[in-house]
Each structure stands twice: as C-alpha cells, then as structure tokens.
Amino acid sequence: MKAYWFDNAEGDQREDHDSGRSVEPEYLSKLGVLYRHCPCIDAVDMIASERSYRNRDEIIVSPEKLGSAYEDKVKMFFKEHLHEDEEIRYILDGEGFFDVRSIEDKWVRMRLEKGDLIILPAGIYHRFTTDSKNYIKAMRLFKDEPKWTPLNRAPELDSVPARQEYVSRV
C-alpha cells in the first residue's frame, strides 16, 4: 500500500494522481483507516475472527467481467459516498485506489495491490477506482449479511448516526 495526497489534477481517475507528498500510516490511523498486508488468507481469517466478520464474497471489477457496464460501474464507485457499516476489502489480484477524506476534507489516495487489506470506518467519505490496468479482484468481508449501500455525499448526511459517530472520533 502506498498512501499520498491526491494531486487534484485534471485527468482520468484511474491515473496515479500522486502529488509527491506521502501520507504516513499513523495519519491514516487517525482517520480510522486500518491497513494490514496479508500475504496469505490465514491472516485475513484471523482478522475476520477478531473483528467478527462472518460473511464474505468476491468481486472482480474489469471490462471482461462487467462488459459494457464497466465504465458506468467505475464512475459509480468513484462518486464520493459513505456507508453505515465498515468497508473491508482484501485485494486478491490486480490494483486499485481507495481515496478517503482527510480531517481537512482533502483527498488521501491509497494504492492497494495483491495482499493488501483495508478497513474503512463507517461514516468516512471515500471513493474507489481501478487503476489504468482496469482490473481488480477483491474479497469483501461483512459482519452480517452482505450489503453495500452507498450514501452519496450530501448535506443531509451530516445527521446520519454513522457520520456523526465518525466525526466525533476524528
């Protein structure tokens, strides 16, 4: 995993957009973002057990898998949103980017690759995209039944309990 400040330059979201200013894991931790490198599934299973993740599935995001819906899906994933539950992803193959909002409301970009596991706290604004290779395979982990309901950023989300709890912690 490589984390850095997003450069906000015009261009394809799947490009690196590396400002050259790195972000240390300690800063990500202050945002509630947890990162682990897990070279084998046993490490993922241990984290899943410790954090009570009982369900999982796999997703492939690629033009081959999604066909003509690929571009629309990637654009949808890149819309700034939050979830009312943690978002947990373990990268099985390929590479992609998760962007999260900093305390100052700036974008921090994290490049994830095979073996990387990330846990985003409920209530954090974020977005996702594949890289320029247009392929990622990830395991999604859930505490309960799989659900993925994005709440796109809007002023009324400030009153959502998950957002209020997140803001009070950071």
Side-chain angles (χ1 to χ4, degrees):
M1 189 270 298
K2 177 182 177 185
Y4 51 88
W5 295 100
F6 188 83
D7 68 7
N8 292 312
E10 293 292 320
D12 192 309
Q13 68 196 37
R14 293 167 280 205
E15 297 300 322
D16 285 349
H17 289 280
D18 189 342
S19 66
R21 297 178 299 132
S22 64
V23 172
E24 297 301 319
E26 295 79 20
Y27 184 78
L28 293 174
S29 182
K30 286 179 186 176
L31 298 177
V33 175
L34 304 176
Y35 165 78
R36 301 285 184 274
H37 183 73
C38 300
C40 65
I41 197 69
D42 291 343
V44 175
D45 291 341
M46 185 180 312
I47 292 168
S49 176
E50 290 169 359
R51 297 182 69 87
S52 301
Y53 302 145
R54 293 185 285 278
N55 294 297
R56 58 181 76 184
D57 67 11
E58 292 181 8
I59 184 171
I60 296 174
V61 180
S62 72
E64 292 74 26
K65 183 69 174 175
L66 299 174
S68 62
Y70 174 74
E71 289 296 332
D72 288 339
K73 282 285 190 192
V74 169
K75 286 178 184 155
M76 181 188 76
F77 295 150
F78 200 63
K79 285 187 177 153
E80 183 175 4
H81 63 277
L82 62 80
H83 300 286
E84 294 178 284
D85 298 310
E86 290 181 333
E87 181 164 338
I88 308 98
R89 298 294 182 268
Y90 175 59
I91 309 306
L92 296 164
D93 196 19
E95 296 180 23
F97 300 107
F98 273 91
D99 299 340
V100 295
R101 285 288 186 183
S102 71
I103 296 164
E104 302 82 18
D105 210 30
K106 307 288 185 205
W107 285 117
V108 174
R109 175 157 274 199
M110 295 170 285
R111 172 183 276 280
L112 301 179
E113 59 188 18
K114 184 177 180 176
D116 288 339
L117 181 136
I118 190 163
I119 302 170
L120 302 181
I124 191 172
Y125 283 113
H126 65 283
R127 60 190 183 186
F128 167 79
T129 189
T130 57
D131 69 0
S132 59
K133 296 179 195 117
N134 295 309
Y135 175 81
I136 194 164
K137 180 179 181 181
M139 178 184 293
R140 304 184 298 181
L141 294 99
F142 307 91
K143 288 190 176 192
D144 297 308
E145 288 302 311
K147 85 177 186 185
W148 188 84
T149 307
L151 302 174
N152 291 334
R153 189 167 187 172
E156 59 270 17
L157 289 183
D158 290 342
S159 64
V160 170
R163 180 67 182 161
Q164 289 179 333
E165 289 170 27
Y166 174 73
V167 170
S168 73
R169 285 193 312 265
V170 293

